[in-house]
Each structure stands twice: as C-alpha cells, then as structure tokens.
Amino acid sequence: MTKTDPKQLGAVEAGKPFALALAAGTETARMETNLRARSETLKLAQAAAQQGRTGEAMEHLKDHIVEVSENSAVVAAERWLSLPPAERERTGIYVSGRQLRDEVNAAVQTGLAANGEIGPDRMTLTVLSRVNATREELRQVRTYAPGMVLEVTAKQSRQKLAKGRYDVLKVDAGKGIIELRGADGQRQTFQPSRIGAQGDNQVLQLLERKALTVYTGDTIRWTANDHQRGLINADRAAIAAIGNDGLTVRTSSGMDLKLDAADPMLARLDLAYALNAHMAQGLTSDKGIAVMDRRTRKLLSARNFLVTITRLRDELTLIVDNRDKVEMGIGRNPGDKTSALEVTERLGAAAARGQAADKPQEVGKLQEPEKLPELERTITKVVPFEMGI
C-alpha cells in the first residue's frame, strides 16, 4: 500500500506515475485526519496550511515566529544548542534548502566543538553531495560542470560505461559531449543525450564534491546505500572514533563499523543536525526549530511550508529573516512539479485554442474553441507514514 499527500513535495521521477494515476481518478482510500499534532496551535496551523491558507497558518503561529536581522542559521543553532541534551533529542531542525542546511549544520558543529561535546579528534573528508536532477535534466549537457562526479551503479552498455565513479573533466556544449575520467585514469567521452528517456533514475547520479570536517561524537547521515552492511540512505549514525587509517561509526542499530581511508562510504556521508524539507518527509519530532529565508525564493513554497510544519507534535519555533516576505513567497509559490505528460497536455490544449481561433466565425456569432477532454483530477489528502532515521 502506498501512502502519499499530494499537497506535500511532489515526486519528480518514480512517484510521478502514481500522482498521475490519482489525477486520472484511480480508486483511492482517503485518510483525512491528521493525528500527529497534539497542541491546539499546531493543529490549527497545519489544517490551514493543508488548505493552502498560508496567511492564516502564519497567524496561528505568530507567537512562535522569531524575526531576525542577523544570520538565521546561527540563531537556529544557538537556540538548539541552548537546550538540555534530552530536549535536543526531541527537537528537530528543519530548513528550506541545502545551503541553509549546511550553514546550520556547521554552526551546530562549531558550538558542540567549542563546548567540548564533540572531538577532540577530527578528520577532513571529501564527500559527494547529490545534484538534484531529473532523468531528463541528466540528458542535458548544461546540467554538467567540470569537477562534478558521475556515479554509475550498473553497467551502461549503450554509453560504454562500466559500474563506478567518473570525474567530469570537460563539457563541450556545442558537440553535446562530456569528457570523463574513470578510477583507472582512462579518459572517455559521454553523450548525455543518449541516456534513455525512461528507466531507473538511480542508475546514474550526478554528484558534487565538498570538504567536510567531522569530529568524534558528530551525528551524521548516509547519502547513499550500502545494503550489505546495513547502511541506508538518510539513516543516521555517530562518529565513534577517528584514527590515522580511517574512522569508526556507530550505526543506528548500535553496531560499530570501521571504515578505512579507501572506503567508498566515507564519501557518502554528511552532518545530520539539520534536515531540509525533502529529507524530512515521513519524519516526526516532538518539537522543531524551522528556518526560512526570503533569499531562497524557489524553496519558499506552500509544499515546503506544509512539510515543515507537519513534522511536529507539540511545538514549533519558526525563524525568518522577514516575516512578510517569507509569507508572501510561500503564498505565491505552490511548489508544484509537472511531468512530461502534464506539459504535453497543456501544450496540446494551447495548440487547439490557436487552431480554433484561426477558423472563420459566423457573422454575429462567436465560435467557442473546442474543448479538449481533460483527465478528471481529484485531490487526495492523506497522512504520510512515519519512519525513523
């Protein structure tokens, strides 16, 4: 059984056919009672956000909104760090995008290290962060840039790519060719346009490198799967020890696992003090500190806002740099994503209107353009199932 809330963040790839099936009228069980919130304020705010009434939701939260003129990431970290350790465990930090997430994570880590709660041993890693790109975007040369990494999880005979990681060395937009270098040092060309329009989007992943310093005691999350060792994407772990030849992590199941310097999973981890909305879907915490910044315009959306405030049971502190502009940004941007089928429908309807407008009309009588049949659209509100990481 699949559970989804169509008003939260939309699926771009695998989940989109399911969303289209719902729009076409597929029989659906409806669960319309949100059992997560326990405080009256959150119940009212979540109900208003669910109905798209952003202003009303913000009004319900007015006593819990903190408007700051300084660095909002630092303010969020400071508020979380000032909590007793037991309260920190009950309080999640939610942000509106990747950049804010990295800033909050760095600020929290700085505070913990300064207070001696993590460390003193540390190690700087080069980790790989996924570039959020659909399969169609991966077929476009402009998506790639030198310094990125293309990870191939299954042999691609059509492109003559074996399983492994490839450095992006050069992008030739004119010829539509990417120059890659494999782990063996061999160079080869790659044509993104030859990627099949259909297929598993997980087979090819585009990644960016970034430097990440971790301390003993740091809380991390995995950014890829290693099912054989029980390391699951988005699951949390802790840095138990750091040595010259690698580090030891304590997994969510309580096992200690040694990762040597050459272990590929050392490149697939990140700090986990703050989560963005896409990571937060399906999670629940008793309390939360949320950060929204007017500068992240594309990420200020009704869907992001809904996901953020519906993660919580009891209490929310919403930190914003400008309440009016954040509210306006959320209200103006529904955050919808469309599939190729939906775009085709829109373009086909536009062409039909243009064709109809060119037909001669009877004198004194306006001829209405023929309406194309549309798929019946239904809105299904359900409560996302909860999973722990």
Side-chain angles (χ1 to χ4, degrees):
M1 180 175 66
T2 302
K3 301 179 183 180
T4 184
D5 185 344
K7 293 187 179 180
Q8 293 192 13
L9 293 169
V12 181
E13 295 288 342
K16 195 61 182 179
F18 181 71
L20 292 174
L22 290 180
T26 300
E27 186 175 350
T28 308
R30 299 170 183 260
M31 295 179 287
E32 300 184 351
T33 303
N34 188 338
L35 301 179
R36 180 178 279 132
R38 295 187 293 219
S39 78
E40 192 63 24
T41 296
L42 281 177
K43 287 179 181 178
L44 293 172
Q46 290 175 8
Q50 183 72 39
Q51 298 302 319
R53 302 192 301 271
T54 303
E56 182 181 329
M58 294 286 278
E59 184 62 22
H60 287 305
L61 296 170
K62 64 181 180 181
D63 294 333
H64 304 271
I65 296 176
V66 179
E67 194 170 11
V68 298
S69 57
E70 56 182 312
N71 190 322
S72 55
V74 171
V75 173
E78 186 177 35
R79 283 179 170 261
W80 187 84
L81 289 165
S82 66
L83 299 173
E87 282 297 296
R88 293 177 190 167
E89 292 293 324
R90 300 177 58 222
T91 306
I93 308 177
Y94 304 102
V95 298
S96 58
R98 178 183 297 183
Q99 182 178 344
L100 266 177
R101 182 193 71 211
D102 290 346
E103 290 175 1
V104 173
N105 276 332
V108 169
Q109 186 190 59
T110 296
L112 293 174
N115 197 42
E117 296 182 58
I118 57 175
D121 295 330
R122 64 180 181 177
M123 174 182 287
T124 299
L125 307 169
T126 298
V127 299
L128 298 174
S129 177
R130 184 174 180 179
V131 176
N132 290 325
T134 65
R135 189 176 187 86
E136 182 57 35
E137 288 170 332
L138 288 175
R139 298 178 73 239
Q140 309 298 319
V141 175
R142 64 177 180 269
T143 304
Y144 300 78
M148 289 182 174
V149 174
L150 181 66
E151 185 167 72
V152 182
T153 59
K155 182 180 179 180
Q156 299 293 290
S157 300
R158 190 176 182 181
Q159 295 278 2
K160 297 182 180 180
L161 292 176
K163 181 179 178 181
R165 291 176 183 165
Y166 297 83
D167 293 322
V168 176
L169 299 180
K170 184 179 178 181
V171 177
D172 190 330
K175 296 181 179 179
I177 292 175
I178 309 293
E179 184 177 342
L180 303 176
R181 181 177 59 209
D184 58 1
Q186 296 295 314
R187 299 190 179 199
Q188 65 184 97
T189 56
F190 164 63
Q191 290 181 268
S193 62
R194 297 189 65 192
I195 298 174
Q198 305 294 328
D200 183 3
N201 194 49
Q202 301 300 315
V203 171
L204 296 174
Q205 291 188 17
L206 192 59
L207 307 163
E208 292 177 313
R209 289 185 175 90
K210 73 173 184 178
L212 177 70
T213 299
V214 294
Y215 294 78
T216 50
D218 256 331
T219 300
I220 62 166
R221 61 179 176 85
W222 305 112
T223 61
N225 291 314
D226 183 336
H227 293 290
Q228 188 172 359
R229 292 186 289 182
L231 309 180
I232 308 302
N233 185 22
D235 197 10
R236 296 192 191 190
I239 306 296
I242 295 176
N244 294 329
D245 56 346
L247 54 80
T248 300
V249 297
R250 182 161 296 124
T251 68
S252 60
S253 62
M255 294 191 309
D256 284 355
L257 178 66
K258 178 69 179 295
L259 304 179
D260 62 39
D263 197 300
M265 288 303 283
L266 276 185
R268 302 310 305 270
L269 57 84
D270 203 351
L271 296 176
Y273 299 109
L275 302 174
N276 59 23
H278 280 87
M279 297 173 183
Q281 286 197 121
L283 303 182
T284 299
S285 57
D286 291 342
K287 299 180 180 181
I289 298 169
V291 188
M292 291 190 167
D293 194 311
R294 60 177 169 169
R295 295 170 298 174
T296 55
R297 293 181 182 178
K298 292 183 179 180
L299 300 171
L300 285 179
S301 70
R303 291 181 183 268
N304 252 329
F305 179 65
L306 178 62
V307 169
T308 299
I309 72 169
T310 54
R311 299 308 90 208
L312 310 169
R313 294 188 180 100
D314 301 320
E315 185 180 315
L316 167 67
T317 299
L318 179 58
I319 298 173
V320 298
D321 62 337
N322 185 302
R323 173 179 168 169
D324 292 339
K325 292 187 177 181
V326 166
E327 182 178 331
M328 187 181 301
I330 294 170
R332 288 180 174 177
N333 180 12
D336 294 337
K337 294 179 180 177
T338 55
S339 69
L341 175 60
E342 291 167 318
V343 172
T344 300
E345 287 179 355
R346 287 175 54 188
L347 295 176
R353 290 195 299 270
Q355 189 177 45
D358 194 44
K359 291 180 180 179
Q361 297 181 353
E362 296 179 17
V363 178
K365 181 179 179 182
L366 294 177
Q367 180 177 343
E368 298 208 2
E370 180 183 355
K371 292 184 179 180
L372 293 181
E374 295 185 1
L375 294 176
E376 180 184 354
R377 300 185 183 276
T378 60
I379 300 298
T380 306
K381 295 181 288 185
V382 294
V383 179
F385 79 95
E386 298 175 16
M387 59 177 282
I389 67 170

